[in-house]
Amino acid sequence: VNGCGLTFEVVQTGGADHRCGIGVWRHSGRWERFDATVQQALGGTYGFAEGVWWLDEASESYGGRAIELFAQVGSSNPSLTEIPGHFGPGLLLVGLFAPAQRGELGVGVTWVGVSREAGFSEPYELVVEVYSGVQLARWLRVEPDLLHIVNPGGDAAVRDATVGTLRVSMIL
């Protein structure tokens, strides 16, 4: 496996950190295409960006409030991979609730393009996620999570789905 990447890090005044990167990757093995022919090596590209968009410095001593953004993107050959494309942006709001509770609310979207050459009946799968987390006590954290999945598995025969979870963490 061969790869090459480049990451940029920028620290802005006020403590707001930002990072971004781009890269290429290559796997040097033999790959069977969906049309049954063989190809030597598979490669792709990727990129990401993340950072604190807004930081309330006045509330820093109380745990801070902030808005964080992120995005990821990637691509590869649709004749060789089932998921040749990905795009995933998101947003995290930190410090929404009482400062001592360190509450957060996040929203993320994941779009994956699936290869028609691999036999998928839909061209994509889309997941929208809403996440929350709150520290109710030093020893208790609660994190509800809700996902809505459009075109699960890129299969037109499968109905869209909504999934909810609740994670409770306790330190004893």
Side-chain angles (χ1 to χ4, degrees):
V1 178
N2 302 317
C4 175
L6 183 58
T7 301
F8 303 95
E9 295 195 29
V10 177
V11 178
Q12 293 187 343
T13 57
D17 295 335
H18 296 44
R19 291 181 346 121
C20 62
I22 57 173
V24 296
W25 61 270
R26 180 177 183 271
H27 191 293
S28 57
R30 292 173 49 89
W31 293 83
E32 184 174 336
R33 293 173 162 268
F34 297 119
D35 66 5
T37 61
V38 176
Q39 175 175 320
Q40 184 69 34
L42 168 64
T45 59
Y46 65 89
F48 72 91
E50 59 187 24
V52 177
W53 185 59
W54 175 79
L55 180 65
D56 182 4
E57 294 180 45
S59 68
E60 188 66 32
S61 61
Y62 300 101
R65 293 185 305 165
I67 298 175
E68 300 176 16
L69 302 172
F70 65 88
Q72 305 168 335
V73 63
S75 66
S76 62
N77 188 331
S79 299
L80 298 166
T81 58
E82 293 179 338
I83 301 174
H86 169 258
F87 177 63
L91 163 75
L92 180 64
L93 306 172
V94 180
L96 289 180
F97 310 111
Q101 294 177 328
R102 294 187 33 108
E104 355 172 295
L105 176 67
V107 177
V109 176
T110 298
W111 174 91
V112 292
V114 295
S115 174
R116 292 270 189 173
E117 295 177 47
F120 291 98
S121 55
E122 293 291 338
Y124 68 93
E125 175 183 277
L126 177 70
V127 179
V128 178
E129 179 177 15
V130 177
Y131 150 87
S132 181
V134 65
Q135 192 78 35
L136 296 176
R138 279 191 193 184
W139 55 273
L140 180 63
R141 182 168 176 80
V142 178
E143 299 174 357
D145 193 356
L146 184 66
L147 295 100
H148 182 70
I149 307 162
V150 178
N151 298 330
D155 189 344
V158 178
R159 293 182 345 160
D160 294 353
T162 301
V163 178
T165 64
L166 177 63
R167 178 180 181 177
V168 178
S169 303
M170 296 188 306
I171 300 173
L172 302 175

